[in-house]
Amino acid sequence: MANIKANIKNIRKTQRRTSRNRHEVRTYRNKVKQARQQPNDASLRSAFKQIDSAVAKGKMHKNKGNRLKSRLANTYAKSHNEKAA
């Protein structure tokens, strides 16, 4: 355990930031999983929104966000083409 006040404060700040980051990452991963399992308009929209939020906050690289969205859109299109056929 740190003895210096500034280091104690830094530990608290790190714990808060870690908690927020974990929440953000966990949330977008769950949304992506839901969109993959049940590809419908609502799940796709919420996954896109969560991915865009993670990218804007710097939790994910923008290319990764675009790649995830592209793959989800392809999954959605494929599932709807199978239903129509």
Side-chain angles (χ1 to χ4, degrees):
M1 184 64 192
N3 294 325
I4 299 168
K5 285 184 180 182
N7 288 346
I8 293 169
K9 181 179 178 182
N10 286 336
I11 290 169
R12 285 197 313 261
K13 287 194 314 189
T14 301
Q15 289 172 342
R16 280 194 301 267
R17 289 175 182 164
T18 302
S19 172
R20 285 189 207 125
N21 289 342
R22 282 185 181 160
H23 173 73
E24 186 72 29
V25 171
R26 196 177 322 120
T27 305
Y28 93 74
R29 284 183 182 163
N30 287 336
K31 295 290 185 182
V32 169
K33 284 178 190 176
Q34 288 173 0
R36 282 188 186 134
Q37 291 171 355
Q38 300 172 348
N40 57 33
D41 292 336
S43 66
L44 194 68
R45 211 173 301 123
S46 67
F48 278 20
K49 185 176 179 181
Q50 198 64 42
I51 290 169
D52 288 339
S53 173
V55 168
K57 292 178 182 178
K59 312 299 181 210
M60 178 191 319
H61 194 274
K62 66 179 182 175
N63 290 351
K64 180 178 179 179
N66 289 336
R67 184 175 65 242
L68 281 174
K69 291 195 298 186
S70 174
R71 288 178 180 174
L72 287 174
N74 288 338
T75 303
Y76 174 79
K78 186 176 180 181
S79 71
H80 281 284
N81 287 340
E82 289 173 358
K83 290 178 184 177

